Amino acid sequence: CACLVGSEMCIRDREWVNIAVHAAEQIFHAGGQGAEKKQYVIDFLNSKGLKISEEELDRLIEAAVFEMNKTLNSDGAKVVAV
């Protein structure tokens, strides 16, 4: 998001990425669909008018997946990957 950490814009972008990653995981729950999941996230963010570089998007997706896995692992659920 090419912004200062903690800025309102960066927080908003991170929240939208989290929503998109969770939605992608619900829609594409079969294994081997990483490319489809990522494209869903990109399309979702574009529909919200967010302009995030691919490098920053990759970081935000990785962070969202990490947090999702951390939560799922604490509940004894399966690990996901986008």
Side-chain angles (χ1 to χ4, degrees):
C1 53
C3 57
L4 297 173
V5 173
S7 74
E8 186 175 323
M9 181 185 290
C10 196
I11 292 168
R12 183 204 65 205
D13 290 355
R14 178 168 257 158
E15 288 172 355
W16 280 123
V17 170
N18 285 335
I19 290 167
V21 167
H22 280 85
E25 182 56 32
Q26 292 299 309
I27 295 166
F28 303 100
H29 49 277
Q33 293 183 300
E36 290 89 347
K37 291 177 186 180
K38 184 173 182 180
Q39 189 59 53
Y40 176 87
V41 171
I42 291 168
D43 292 344
F44 180 89
L45 297 175
N46 285 337
S47 77
K48 299 300 177 196
L50 299 178
K51 303 297 180 211
I52 301 174
S53 72
E54 186 171 347
E55 181 180 328
E56 185 65 18
L57 178 60
D58 287 342
R59 280 192 230 125
L60 291 171
I61 289 172
E62 288 299 321
V65 170
F66 176 80
E67 287 300 318
M68 189 180 352
N69 284 335
K70 192 165 72 170
T71 300
L72 291 174
N73 284 336
S74 69
D75 294 337
K78 69 174 188 154
V79 175
V80 298
V82 174

